[in-house]
Amino acid sequence: MMKSIWKFFTSTRLAVVLSLLITIDVLTGTILLSSSPKALGAIDLEIFFYWLFGAGLNNLTASWWIFLLLILLALFVVNTIVCTVDSIVFMLRPRRDAARIKPRRILSQAIHLGFIIGLLGHLVSSASGFRTMDNRLFEGSSIPMPQSSELSLRLNKLDVAFTKNGDMQRMDAYLSLIRDKRVVKDKVVRLNEPLLYQGNAVYITHHGEAPESMKFELSGNGTQEIIKIKLHEKSVTSSRGYTLKLEGLIPDFARDSKGKVYSASKQFRNPALEVKVYKGEKFLVTGWFLLQYPDKTPLAFDGLKLVFSGLTYRPYAVLTINRDPGAVIVLSGALIFIISLIWLLFIKGEGMELVKRQT
Amino acid sequence: MTEIFLWLSIAFYGAGFISHVLARNESRHTLQRVSTYILILALAFLTIVLALRIMETGHAPMAGRFETLLFFSWSIAVLNTILLFRYRLRTTDTLTIPVIFLALLLAAFSDSGVYRLPLVLKTWWFEIHVVTSFFAYALFTLAAAAGAFYLLREKTGTGTELGIYQNITYRSILWGFAFFSGSMLLGAIWGYLAWGNYWLWESKSAASLLLWFYYVGVLHTRMLKGWRGKTVSVMAIIGFALVMFTYLGVSIFLKSSHGM
């Protein structure tokens, strides 16, 4: 029984049949990947097996071919292992003519070995590590590295440049990896140049700017002052002792017939901000700033003019942070595979020829 | 300028094909020589087109359908030239030149606008990934051409002639497979450095996987007695159809985030 199973799996015919079945299965999968973006679009966003046994099982009409692929691949791997073991046993068997073990035979098995190691690595990748996307890191601030209590990541500077045509020229994130308040690695992360550290990999995917504070201009009596109030704060005091208190924000400013302010809708068509100004404890003035028409709604007091002059923005980088313990194994397997294959092509003068030369 | 040389190349490949077919009668040595010169000139024009395109865009001609069709044609043409000068073989030209001609014609009617490469494509990983994959496609095309000739001459050809066709089919597939495996490895490294994934579950990558497994099967077929010759030739021709599906079919008929 065992012998016949072994014999079945040593068959080259089985390898051919399985290869062709995998081809047909993946051909169907190629079409399904394109036609079922809702069902299959999220595969790459998480660890493969978590997706497969979660969303994959719930969308079998689109994902059945992946399950079939796993079964076929498992059979193919068994076929490859059995063939390789069979061949190695044959090569190690004592024989009179040692020259019978040809390098071609050894290299063929090395190719098999590379394939098995590569697939093993892919198995590790499919079941372990982590993937986190859309990590927003503001310039000058830090975030903890995922699944690490010791490491944190700081964005020192974000350098983004565009050409005159609006094409992106540069997107450089100057990152520092910190452990116990000490920098363990500095790296300028760009597209195609991630930060790699102890199995962790940090990628920049895009960038942006988020509003950070509101800016007011206080001018008059020959002076000018810029007052900034952070979005999460309710008041700020200027260097000249004027305190600005934010009373409220309405999305669509309007006044009724009695002059009472109300919001005409819930949409931000005409946003307005109510500000009260104090000098110490003394109330001076209140008014509404129409944010879309900043310089048309100034507040006047003490011979000064207060104008809302827009928002200030803070740049941020959007990072993907991954750990893929299988990637190195996949790379090792693939390198063994490729090097053995190329070696096989060059092993004899004949091997590298496209056509066998007639002697 | 690029367009002029492209149309010159198309015209010369057309003329080269006609003269090659007319010169198949071995006694017509002069016509054979003329056909060879025409095809060499056609390759020279195509090389100029590629060089002009590189100067125009500032990057290797591998972005978009127009550029990849040029490079695909050029790869096959270079292989034809190797066969001609190293092995004195021109039979497969009868099938590979029409492929070059049609690919160039398709390129001529494709969008040839100059677009800046996105930042993520500005890496030599991308360039060698594409170069190796197109050389693999060219080798698989040559294998299919030799396979087709094996089938056409199976009944009437001599043993030596059929042996040469079988040989070209097998060795082209072996070389093509090496290039294609290299291309997949380079693409995987690039993917890991660019997005953190060495493998993406999207149409083009899946099509590449199916092509890889298909040729694994074809290479193992040669080890089976009774499956050589006709079976391998038929499989090489089906392989060419799969190459076309992977290269053009996916980007024309399916949705893929991979590009060309």
Side-chain angles (χ1 to χ4, degrees):
Chain A
M1 176 72 173
M2 276 304 286
K3 218 170 188 177
S4 57
I5 293 174
W6 184 266
K7 202 176 169 194
F8 172 75
F9 277 110
T10 51
S11 158
T12 308
R13 201 174 292 255
L14 177 67
V16 174
V17 171
L18 286 172
S19 305
L20 297 183
L21 286 175
I22 290 172
T23 304
I24 296 165
D25 179 54
V26 180
L27 182 61
T28 319
T30 303
I31 296 160
L32 282 169
L33 278 167
S34 167
S35 61
S36 314
K38 276 188 186 168
L40 303 175
I43 309 183
D44 296 314
L45 302 182
E46 55 179 320
I47 300 298
F48 177 63
F49 281 154
Y50 297 156
W51 178 89
L52 190 68
F53 297 111
L57 271 179
N58 292 329
N59 292 291
L60 275 175
T61 42
S63 67
W64 61 267
W65 66 277
I66 301 176
F67 289 95
L68 181 61
L69 178 64
L70 290 185
I71 295 165
L72 292 171
L73 273 178
L75 289 170
F76 195 82
V77 167
V78 173
N79 181 216
T80 312
I81 292 172
V82 170
C83 278
T84 306
V85 170
D86 209 50
S87 195
I88 290 171
V89 168
F90 174 78
M91 284 190 278
L92 294 177
R93 203 178 294 159
R95 58 172 59 82
R96 283 182 216 154
D97 182 9
R100 273 183 66 194
I101 304 171
K102 293 180 179 170
R104 192 173 289 267
R105 205 180 181 104
I106 297 171
L107 286 170
S108 299
Q109 300 321 313
I111 292 172
H112 286 174
L113 190 72
F115 171 72
I116 294 164
I117 293 172
L119 266 190
L120 186 77
H122 193 54
L123 194 69
V124 173
S125 286
S126 302
S128 58
F130 61 80
R131 280 178 197 179
T132 62
M133 270 155 287
D134 292 324
N135 295 284
R136 201 174 278 206
L137 182 52
F138 284 92
E139 210 173 60
S141 64
S142 304
I143 51 167
M145 283 288 278
Q147 300 193 15
S148 168
S149 52
E150 297 174 335
L151 289 169
S152 63
L153 194 64
R154 188 178 66 213
L155 175 63
N156 302 311
K157 192 177 123 186
L158 185 66
D159 182 12
V160 182
F162 293 89
T163 62
K164 282 176 191 168
N165 304 327
D167 298 316
M168 190 181 280
Q169 213 170 19
R170 194 168 58 236
M171 184 168 63
D172 297 353
Y174 291 71
L175 294 175
S176 292
L177 203 58
I178 298 159
R179 177 185 278 143
D180 298 331
K181 295 180 182 172
R182 278 180 28 209
V183 174
V184 289
K185 183 152 184 173
D186 279 320
K187 167 88 181 161
V188 182
V189 171
R190 308 180 170 101
L191 287 171
N192 295 314
E193 288 180 42
L195 182 157
L196 302 172
Y197 183 76
Q198 292 183 345
N200 296 302
V202 181
Y203 304 84
I204 183 163
T205 55
H206 49 283
H207 72 99
E209 283 182 329
E212 187 186 30
S213 54
M214 283 182 277
K215 205 164 68 174
F216 295 88
E217 194 181 302
L218 184 62
S219 57
N221 302 335
T223 59
Q224 190 184 40
E225 184 188 353
I226 299 292
I227 305 167
K228 286 181 189 170
I229 175 161
K230 293 216 162 132
L231 290 180
H232 61 272
E233 290 173 346
K234 292 230 161 167
S235 66
V236 66
T237 302
S238 75
S239 59
R240 281 188 274 181
Y242 293 103
T243 300
L244 274 57
K245 283 190 178 170
L246 307 185
E247 292 296 317
L249 178 76
I250 57 169
D252 194 0
F253 181 84
R255 281 184 196 273
D256 64 14
S257 56
K258 291 175 185 168
K260 196 182 169 193
V261 171
Y262 71 101
S263 186
S265 75
K266 286 181 180 173
Q267 274 127 28
F268 273 74
R269 285 184 189 143
N270 186 18
L273 183 72
E274 187 185 15
V275 175
K276 285 184 177 169
V277 182
Y278 296 82
K279 176 89 178 182
E281 294 293 312
K282 188 185 166 197
F283 170 74
L284 294 179
V285 66
T286 185
W288 287 89
F289 289 101
L290 300 181
L291 302 188
Q292 292 189 64
Y293 312 100
D295 50 353
K296 290 187 178 160
T297 51
L299 276 183
F301 52 89
D302 288 354
L304 300 166
K305 192 170 84 171
L306 182 71
V307 176
F308 171 76
S309 60
L311 296 166
T312 63
Y313 293 86
R314 192 177 176 195
Y316 63 85
V318 181
L319 307 171
T320 290
I321 306 174
N322 291 355
R323 182 186 287 160
D324 184 350
V328 178
I329 308 172
V330 172
L331 180 67
S332 313
L335 283 175
I336 292 171
F337 185 95
I338 298 281
I339 291 167
S340 308
L341 184 60
I342 292 170
W343 199 344
L344 192 70
L345 282 167
F346 284 90
I347 200 162
K348 277 179 169 184
E350 195 70 79
M352 60 186 287
E353 297 289 346
L354 253 182
V355 182
K356 201 171 187 175
R357 309 200 88 181
Q358 303 298 315
T359 50
Chain B
M1 198 66 150
T2 313
E3 250 182 51
I4 294 170
F5 279 103
L6 176 57
W7 280 107
L8 271 174
S9 183
I10 293 170
F12 272 68
Y13 272 115
F17 176 68
I18 293 165
S19 56
H20 170 69
V21 172
L22 291 174
R24 283 206 67 190
N25 181 344
E26 285 183 14
S27 62
R28 307 175 89 164
H29 292 299
T30 316
L31 195 54
Q32 274 184 2
R33 212 169 298 144
V34 169
S35 157
T36 305
Y37 292 141
I38 291 175
L39 290 174
I40 291 169
L41 270 175
L43 175 60
F45 289 138
L46 184 53
T47 309
I48 292 171
V49 173
L50 283 176
L52 288 173
R53 186 70 183 179
I54 292 169
M55 288 197 288
E56 207 175 358
T57 60
H59 59 76
M62 286 145 204
R65 191 172 303 153
F66 175 74
E67 291 179 9
T68 57
L69 280 167
L70 292 181
F71 193 72
F72 176 55
S73 313
W74 187 80
S75 309
I76 302 173
V78 167
L79 272 180
N80 280 350
T81 314
I82 292 172
L83 280 180
L84 171 66
F85 286 105
R86 190 163 172 81
Y87 307 105
R88 302 277 159 211
L89 269 172
R90 289 203 50 192
T91 328
T92 47
D93 281 6
T94 315
L95 292 175
T96 51
I97 293 172
V99 174
I100 297 173
F101 182 78
L102 288 174
L104 288 179
L105 214 53
L106 187 58
F109 291 105
S110 300
D111 176 14
S112 61
V114 176
Y115 304 104
R116 279 183 68 91
L117 275 185
L119 269 186
V120 76
L121 298 186
K122 286 183 179 172
T123 165
W124 65 274
W125 289 109
F126 163 68
E127 292 181 2
I128 52 171
H129 164 63
V130 180
V131 167
T132 45
S133 69
F134 275 95
F135 268 114
Y137 291 167
L139 283 156
F140 292 146
T141 306
L142 179 64
F149 267 100
Y150 179 91
L151 295 176
L152 285 171
R153 304 280 293 159
E154 197 187 6
K155 299 251 164 69
T156 52
T158 62
T160 317
E161 187 191 358
L162 294 178
I164 289 175
Y165 293 142
Q166 261 196 292
N167 211 243
I168 298 176
T169 305
Y170 173 67
R171 285 176 190 274
S172 303
I173 290 175
L174 194 60
W175 271 100
F177 182 72
F179 271 105
F180 198 64
S181 303
S183 163
M184 285 184 81
L185 171 64
L186 293 163
I189 294 173
W190 174 38
Y192 182 77
L193 294 175
W195 302 282
N197 289 346
Y198 59 81
W199 170 257
L200 288 175
W201 289 92
E202 56 82 41
S203 309
K204 193 81 167 188
S205 306
S208 303
L209 182 70
L210 82 86
L211 198 61
W212 191 84
F213 265 104
Y214 181 78
Y215 282 107
V216 165
V218 178
L219 287 173
H220 281 84
T221 305
R222 213 182 126 86
M223 292 164 66
L224 297 172
K225 277 180 190 163
W227 285 44
R228 293 176 199 174
K230 195 174 180 178
T231 312
V232 174
S233 301
V234 171
M235 288 181 93
I237 295 167
I238 297 171
F240 177 67
L242 290 175
V243 166
M244 286 297 106
F245 171 74
T246 304
Y247 167 35
L248 290 173
V250 172
S251 34
I252 293 173
F253 302 111
L254 302 177
K255 286 174 205 150
S256 168
S257 57
H258 190 283
M260 291 307 292

